[in-house]
Amino acid sequence: MLLTLIVLDSVGVGELPDAAAFGDVGAHTLNHTLTAAPVHLPHLARLGLSRIPTVQTSPQTLPAGEVTGAHGRMREVSPGKDTSTGHWEFMGVQLQHAFQVFPEGFPPAVMDRFDAATGRGHLCNRPYSGTDVIRDYGEEHLRTGFPIVYTSADSVFQIAAHEDVVPLETLYAWCEAAREILQGEFAVARVIARPFRGEHPFERANEHRKDYSLVPPRTVLDALKDAGRDVVGIGKIPDIYAHQGFTQEIHTDSNADGIRKTLARMRQGGDGLIFTNLVDFDAKFGHRRDPAGYSAALAEFDSALPELLAAVPEDGALILVSDHGNDPTWHGTDHTREHGLLLGWHPGLTGAVDLGERATFADVGATVAQALGADRNGPGESFWTRLKD
């Protein structure tokens, strides 16, 4: 059996009960995006997106009509609103403590070691927008060759360097050195290579981005691999899990590329999991507070959905989820603490299935494990039998 799981990165469906602790009361990525820039999403509506609690509908966006799909939403119990926290919880790792953040920048104990590893100084070292930081520090970087180091509200150490000044292999080596430094008391969830190119205000070379994650505890992915199943990571998925538990890794350059490569891998068949992340919603439009771009990306995915459904084998299924919010109408540039969406479909489904409000993102991993016959010892309650009703 082949199961396909696609993360619509950051497509949150309304504030979580603890949103006040994150400054996110009132955030709703999907509603606010479609209100600011309406687009027609008939195929997502047919799967049941319009029936998820708090999701607002209108004929211009999510038309009413027959639903053939499973729908619900999920609570994240881990204390965070970042990529690693959400994805790890999907696969059965619930964090007790949030990943460490550095709102004042990284201390000398980190940066002195990093400078020694690169043999150069550094620029910035504080929270910053990824596009703004290359605009503001890019020309100084060209003059000095010093890497631009910055962070955000997430637990990340990001290194930006111009591709004509610092070869990609060198940038990646610097990231590996930073990953070794950022352990223990200074551990961050991810070190991220952020190459850029061109002339001021510069352009990020997102296709050459690379993430270096902390190694997670054992996940459902490891259980699947140990059971002899295919575990195919598409997009940034393998990076998020420090490349643990995969039998195949496929790089992508954009949402469209991710959809194409997911379809191609689905058509190859197999026995296991295809696990894809479509990051453009988050990286290109959420953080940049661009609701029009975000809506266009939703419409692009919606138009591809019939082809994805057609590629699901008779005994397989397609599951769509989101890992956090990133409301493009919200203040600042950071993620928002929201419920994850949950949609599912399989070829034998004839009507609507209400999956309800799931108590944890880990229900996704529990479902995958049950569907594919893998042993697991972890949190979460499978919705596989409900989906297959």
Side-chain angles (χ1 to χ4, degrees):
M1 189 185 76
L2 192 61
L3 185 64
T4 301
L5 173 62
I6 300 178
V7 182
L8 307 185
D9 198 309
S10 86
V11 184
V13 288
E15 65 183 51
L16 281 164
D18 62 356
F22 296 82
D24 292 330
V25 172
H28 199 305
T29 298
L30 186 64
N31 282 354
H32 293 166
T33 297
L34 295 180
T35 298
V39 290
H40 197 48
L41 305 175
H43 306 299
L44 284 165
R46 186 175 178 84
L47 279 190
L49 183 60
S50 59
R51 296 195 181 184
I52 292 176
T54 78
V55 171
Q56 297 172 358
T57 63
S58 73
Q60 291 75 34
T61 56
L62 294 170
E66 181 182 358
V67 169
T68 304
H71 56 88
R73 66 176 187 172
M74 303 180 291
R75 292 191 180 195
E76 182 176 22
V77 301
S78 301
K81 54 178 180 176
D82 60 278
T83 294
S84 296
T85 300
H87 281 73
W88 283 21
E89 189 171 319
F90 285 148
M91 291 298 131
V93 178
Q94 293 174 331
L95 299 177
Q96 299 301 310
H97 304 286
F99 288 120
Q100 189 168 192
V101 295
F102 293 86
E104 305 302 323
F106 297 93
V110 170
M111 297 312 302
D112 289 350
R113 291 179 63 192
F114 179 70
D115 291 348
T118 65
R120 313 187 188 193
H122 62 269
L123 304 174
C124 189
N125 186 29
R126 58 193 180 97
Y128 231 100
S129 157
T131 51
D132 290 351
V133 80
I134 59 175
R135 178 198 66 203
D136 294 349
Y137 289 91
E139 291 183 314
E140 186 176 358
H141 164 75
L142 293 181
R143 292 193 301 270
T144 64
F146 291 178
I148 305 168
V149 174
Y150 65 106
T151 187
S152 73
D154 291 347
S155 181
V156 292
F157 182 100
Q158 304 188 84
I159 308 171
H162 197 287
E163 291 182 333
D164 292 342
V165 174
V166 177
L168 286 173
E169 294 76 12
T170 300
L171 176 58
Y172 296 156
W174 290 352
C175 288
E176 291 170 2
R179 180 71 279 172
E180 290 297 317
I181 294 165
L182 292 159
Q183 303 284 338
E185 65 175 311
F186 301 121
V188 296
R190 289 177 295 156
V191 174
I192 306 177
R194 291 288 198 179
F196 63 98
R197 60 186 164 223
E199 299 180 353
H200 189 270
F202 306 109
E203 175 190 21
R204 293 209 288 189
N206 287 321
E207 71 276 14
H208 295 145
R209 165 185 169 161
K210 196 169 182 180
D211 293 34
Y212 299 79
S213 292
L214 285 175
V215 177
R218 181 176 172 81
T219 71
V220 169
L221 302 175
D222 297 302
L224 293 174
K225 185 178 180 181
D226 291 347
R229 304 293 186 266
D230 299 327
V231 187
V232 182
I234 299 180
K236 71 176 185 178
I237 290 291
D239 290 340
I240 297 167
Y241 298 94
H243 307 277
Q244 303 296 302
F246 295 93
T247 61
Q248 184 182 4
E249 300 183 8
I250 300 173
H251 176 77
T252 63
D253 296 333
S254 64
N255 277 8
D257 189 40
I259 293 166
R260 283 193 299 270
K261 289 175 176 173
T262 299
L263 279 166
R265 186 59 186 81
M266 291 171 74
R267 289 165 178 159
Q268 288 179 26
D271 179 20
L273 175 68
I274 297 172
F275 192 2
T276 297
N277 178 288
L278 300 179
V279 72
D280 287 359
F281 303 109
D282 183 61
K284 292 185 177 179
F285 309 115
H287 286 300
R288 299 184 190 182
R289 297 303 189 248
D290 178 2
Y294 207 119
S295 280
L298 287 168
E300 176 189 50
F301 179 77
D302 189 83
S303 68
L305 192 49
E307 196 171 5
L308 287 164
L309 297 177
V312 176
E314 284 299 316
D315 63 345
L318 174 69
I319 299 174
L320 308 178
V321 297
S322 60
D323 54 339
H324 51 71
N326 199 349
D327 188 335
T329 71
W330 207 241
H331 55 79
T333 60
D334 297 318
H335 296 151
T336 42
R337 177 75 168 172
E338 298 184 47
H339 289 86
L341 71 80
L342 175 61
L343 297 172
W345 185 85
H346 65 87
L349 200 58
T350 58
V353 177
D354 186 356
L355 297 175
E357 180 148 331
R358 313 305 301 187
T360 169
F361 283 10
D363 286 4
V364 174
T367 301
V368 169
Q370 181 184 8
L372 297 173
D375 292 331
R376 78 174 180 95
N377 292 306
E381 179 181 348
S382 173
F383 52 81
W384 182 243
T385 56
R386 292 292 316 283
L387 176 60
K388 294 295 284 186
D389 283 347

